[in-house]
Amino acid sequence: SAHRISPASPVVKGSTAVRSRPTARRATAAAAPRPRHAVRAARAAKVTEAPVEAARTQTETADAADAGLMRWALDTAAEGRTAACAMGALALPFLAPAQEAWAKGGEFGLLEGRTSALIHPAIMATLFVTTLYAGYLGVQHRRTRTIGDEIKALKATVPANVLADGEEAAKSPAVLETEAKIEELSATRKELVAGGFRDKHWDAGNLLLAMGVLISVEGGMNTYLRVGKLFPGPHLFAGLSITVLWASAAALVPYMQKGNQTARNAHIALNCVNLALFTWQIPTGLEIVGKVFQFTKWP
């Protein structure tokens, strides 16, 4: 049977103690010099590890750059949120009172307030005055165009006052009166031409067409935003008719430029009807303005 051997006991051949020799052999082999092929293998391993180490370093550098970019993006987003919060805080004092002005329920914010509702009547009052001014300019422009025909007609009535021998004959009182009238009309024509009524009439008409159509649509839209519906009645129907008359009168301008007298007469008639409807619409408009002050608040 196997017997126990102490660390200090001699090693006996054939005994169980022989099992400790591989440990000693490994220690001896580690201490011994390595063969030549082992050295070459170690050098080759170092050469192979160099590119791998460089690639690992480059990857780590790229990862660090990506991480820095991500931190910059997060910081920028945080600053943007901070700026948005600051702007909201500054605007809060102006938006907070809007709740009192909401007439329908606050679905459209300040568009339901009194300020927005008064835009339509304020601009329409300006356009009414502009309509009167445009009518005056149109009359003056027409006068500039027709006064020349009057002068030609008067000149045709003046007889030749030259005798057969070349001497000037005495003028009758009627001829003198006609010549004075011609001189007066000629002076008036010069003043009208200097006034530039044609261009001014064009500018006023363009303003009426552009702003009139825009504010007419804005008025109906504002009413719908405030109360959720339109009110079919005299004011609405008259406003629609005025808008159509503006467009119709403007559509005749190309024919008027070609000398079509029918187009000119129709242009004048349409604008006269427009002015009559505009004037008739004023009382109903003032009634609506009173309701705006009754059911809305500033702003």
Side-chain angles (χ1 to χ4, degrees):
S1 62
H3 58 277
R4 300 176 62 182
I5 302 177
S6 63
S9 303
V11 178
V12 181
K13 185 178 181 179
S15 65
T16 310
V18 180
R19 297 177 182 176
S20 61
R21 291 183 179 180
T23 303
R25 291 177 181 178
R26 284 195 296 269
T28 304
R34 291 181 293 176
R36 186 173 300 175
H37 65 275
V39 175
R40 293 176 180 176
R43 291 177 180 176
K46 291 181 179 180
V47 173
T48 306
E49 290 176 357
V52 175
E53 184 66 24
R56 184 184 299 111
T57 304
Q58 186 176 3
T59 302
E60 292 176 354
T61 303
D63 293 341
D66 293 341
L69 181 61
M70 182 62 68
R71 286 193 299 271
W72 175 83
L74 293 176
D75 294 341
T76 303
E79 293 176 358
R81 288 192 297 269
T82 303
C85 293
M87 293 294 293
L90 291 175
L92 185 59
F94 300 96
L95 298 179
Q99 181 66 35
E100 298 180 356
W102 292 340
K104 184 176 179 298
E107 297 181 13
F108 303 101
L110 293 178
L111 294 178
E112 300 179 18
R114 182 177 296 174
T115 302
S116 179
L118 293 178
I119 292 176
H120 177 82
I123 297 182
M124 276 299 177
T126 304
L127 292 182
F128 178 74
V129 177
T130 305
T131 300
L132 297 175
Y133 181 60
Y136 165 76
L137 295 175
V139 171
Q140 297 301 316
H141 170 50
R142 182 181 177 85
R143 180 65 175 159
T144 305
R145 190 183 67 254
T146 59
I147 196 172
D149 298 335
E150 296 180 15
I151 294 175
K152 290 180 181 179
L154 289 174
K155 287 182 177 180
T157 62
V158 177
N161 60 343
V162 180
L163 300 177
D165 55 0
E167 295 182 1
E168 184 177 353
K171 297 179 181 179
S172 64
V175 172
L176 294 176
E177 183 180 356
T178 302
E179 289 181 350
K181 183 67 174 178
I182 291 174
E183 292 179 0
E184 181 182 354
L185 290 177
S186 298
T188 303
R189 183 183 182 184
K190 291 181 180 179
E191 295 177 0
L192 292 173
V193 172
F197 294 105
R198 177 180 179 275
D199 295 336
K200 294 179 181 178
H201 181 68
W202 273 69
D203 295 338
N206 292 333
L207 178 64
L208 282 174
L209 179 62
M211 292 300 298
V213 173
L214 175 64
I215 299 303
S216 295
V217 175
E218 184 273 339
M221 184 177 65
N222 179 263
T223 301
Y224 182 80
L225 292 178
R226 284 188 294 109
V227 298
K229 62 179 179 179
L230 297 178
F231 298 95
H235 190 82
L236 177 62
F237 295 143
L240 294 175
S241 301
I242 291 173
T243 305
V244 172
L245 290 173
W246 273 327
S248 301
L252 295 172
V253 173
Y255 303 97
M256 297 167 58
Q257 291 176 330
K258 296 178 181 179
N260 191 320
Q261 190 61 37
T262 303
R264 289 172 177 170
N265 294 334
H267 179 82
I268 295 174
L270 290 175
N271 282 295
C272 289
V273 175
N274 195 324
L275 180 59
L277 282 175
F278 215 148
T279 306
W280 178 79
Q281 193 187 30
I282 292 177
T284 57
L286 294 176
E287 181 180 353
I288 295 175
V289 171
K291 292 181 179 179
V292 168
F293 279 96
Q294 180 181 358
F295 295 105
T296 63
K297 295 182 180 180
W298 299 108

